Amino acid sequence: MCLPVLLPEVREWLSRRSSSAARWPAELLMRHKGGTRVSVVLPARNEEATIGEIVGRIHRDLVVDVPLIDELVVLDSRSSDRTAELAVAAGAVTIAQDSVLPGLTPLWGKGEALWKSLAVTTGDVIVFVDSDIRGFTTDFITGLLGPLLTDPTVMYVKGHYDRPLHDRDSVEPAGGGRVTELVARPLLNMFWPQLAGIVQPLAGEYAGRREVLEAVPFVCGYGVEFGLLVDLVDLVGLEAFAQVDLGERVHANQSTQALGRMAGQIISTAWTRLHRQGLVILSDPPTTLLTQFVRMGGELVTDDHDVRVLERPPMAHIRALREGR
Ligand SMILES: O=c1ccn([C@@H]2O[C@H](COP(=O)(O)OP(=O)(O)O)[C@@H](O)[C@H]2O)c(=O)[nH]1
Ligand SMILES: O=C(O)[C@@H](COP(=O)(O)O)O[C@H]1O[C@H](CO)[C@@H](O)[C@H](O)[C@H]1O
């Protein structure tokens, strides 16, 4: 007989803190919104193919038709295409990542964009949505806001969905979330079993209260989602988390090589948390160099990457410094 793997408290949490997007229509949320300001942030790096559609839908449905959202911001993460122009045209405030907190050394990556969005938004609640989603619908946003606007004990909400996998010229009905299944989920089950009930730990769609988002560091690259989960559950406990089924999400799938580098960043992030939380004793730190192999002109050549974790301190610390506290 195989033992139930999920901890009893995780199983119990799942039964109480899970819902689906359909449960949270915008009209219901308007009745609960009160004076809570809501910001929606889209980190975007070269997303001209989809940013206009996503921003346009959010602006029409949740700014004009039902004024649930107070702020719609695209954090332009060093795009070299028409992302910023199309985002503005569709109704978003668009801010260049490197223009935020210019006194700090600029860093790269998705997490840098998300961390800087805290400095240029005013919402009490912030919703993060990727900008490469195909077939985006605004119930991704109302679903994530549901638990936050109706339950003051909820601090952080993760979306989950079925994840088809785009192949060159076909879409497999499942198979997406490759780094989730091959790296993130095993790491969380092994070292942070209280997070084993998070269905899509790396999902780019999530929301939280500013007070907690500004109380934790942000990993600058692709480790940001993994780092937020581990740091926030340490800060507020699983009880303050909720999870919403958003249905299905199709996005631009990166190459296996690119996901290898993403996996390296996530393993580096996990390693820093294992050490910071005293779960491992560092005799000597692991290397952060990842050597991949690519064939060029018939030759197999090495392709070296640094997957070290760069992270920003809690935004609350930056605010305190700037206010001389
Ligand atoms: O340096 C970066 C890398 C990515 N992104 C954005 O973060 C989201 C997720 O990134 P990506 O699609 O590259 O990751 P994947 O979804 O393939 O894991 C997308 O909206 C990207 O435009 C970003 O703002 N800055
Ligand atoms: O979940 C995953 O394994 C990766 C890759 O997804 P695919 O295998 O390309 O569907 O996608 C996520 O990971 C990134 C790192 O956390 C997030 O930033 C992305 O938003 C998310 O799509």
Side-chain angles (χ1 to χ4, degrees):
M1 179 190 78
C2 61
L3 295 174
V5 174
L6 285 181
L7 295 172
E9 57 268 33
V10 174
R11 197 174 293 282
E12 200 271 331
W13 170 79
L14 267 176
S15 67
R16 281 186 303 102
R17 288 295 206 193
S18 300
S19 62
S20 70
R23 179 169 159 196
W24 309 110
E27 294 71 16
L28 168 73
L29 300 186
M30 281 304 288
R31 294 198 294 275
H32 287 269
K33 174 181 163 74
T36 303
R37 279 185 62 80
V38 176
S39 301
V40 172
V41 170
L42 296 122
R45 179 175 173 79
N46 296 330
E47 303 295 2
E48 64 181 5
T50 44
I51 192 71
E53 167 80 12
I54 295 172
V55 169
R57 279 183 179 274
I58 297 171
H59 190 264
R60 183 197 61 210
D61 294 358
L62 300 178
V63 176
V64 176
D65 289 358
V66 179
L68 185 62
I69 290 172
D70 302 282
E71 214 167 32
L72 175 52
V73 174
V74 167
L75 225 292
D76 180 16
S77 188
R78 300 178 174 172
S79 298
S80 54
D81 66 2
R82 299 176 61 219
T83 293
E85 170 199 338
L86 294 170
V88 169
V93 169
T94 300
I95 298 169
Q97 171 179 309
D98 291 339
S99 72
V100 181
L101 298 173
L104 299 178
T105 305
L107 298 177
W108 47 269
K110 179 186 184 184
E112 173 78 347
L114 297 179
W115 182 77
K116 287 192 168 178
S117 76
L118 300 177
V120 292
T121 52
T122 59
D124 306 300
V125 164
I126 303 167
V127 184
F128 297 115
V129 173
D130 281 359
S131 307
D132 65 338
I133 298 172
R134 274 75 175 144
F136 172 83
T137 57
T138 48
D139 52 7
F140 271 37
I141 294 185
T142 50
L144 291 168
L145 285 171
L148 284 166
L149 293 182
T150 59
D151 184 340
T153 67
V154 172
M155 294 291 163
Y156 194 63
V157 180
K158 278 297 281 194
H160 70 83
Y161 23 61
D162 297 341
R163 299 188 66 173
L165 183 62
H166 257 290
D167 218 336
R168 217 177 302 282
D169 47 14
S170 69
V171 180
E172 299 298 317
R178 289 161 290 173
V179 180
T180 293
E181 301 307 334
L182 295 172
V183 177
R185 193 182 312 286
L187 279 171
L188 291 172
N189 273 259
M190 287 167 74
F191 298 108
W192 294 279
Q194 69 274 36
L195 291 171
I198 303 293
V199 178
Q200 288 294 343
L202 301 188
E205 289 66 45
Y206 45 100
R209 295 188 197 285
R210 178 179 294 276
E211 66 196 82
V212 297
L213 293 172
E214 294 202 353
V216 291
F218 272 56
V219 174
C220 294
Y222 283 119
V224 60
E225 280 84 17
F226 193 97
L228 282 173
L229 275 181
V230 170
D231 294 345
L232 283 171
V233 82
D234 191 42
L235 178 71
V236 298
L238 183 65
E239 187 51 30
F241 280 31
Q243 192 163 221
V244 181
D245 185 348
L246 303 177
E248 179 180 273
R249 185 245 224 176
V250 177
H251 71 134
N253 299 115
Q254 298 188 62
S255 69
T256 307
Q257 294 274 7
L259 294 194
R261 297 188 288 273
M262 178 189 290
Q265 291 180 33
I266 287 165
I267 293 168
S268 291
T269 302
W271 186 262
T272 57
R273 270 64 187 169
L274 286 169
H275 179 237
R276 205 171 285 176
Q277 296 181 357
L279 296 172
V280 289
I281 306 298
L282 267 186
S283 51
D284 51 359
T287 174
T288 61
L289 287 181
L290 172 67
T291 297
Q292 295 179 313
F293 294 87
V294 291
R295 191 165 291 281
M296 291 178 79
E299 290 298 313
L300 205 54
V301 298
T302 56
D303 182 17
D304 296 331
H305 296 270
D306 188 344
V307 294
R308 85 179 59 235
V309 172
L310 290 177
E311 68 180 23
R312 291 293 194 182
M315 183 57 75
H317 296 183
I318 302 294
R319 287 189 194 285
L321 283 173
R322 290 161 69 98
E323 291 158 13
R325 283 186 281 128

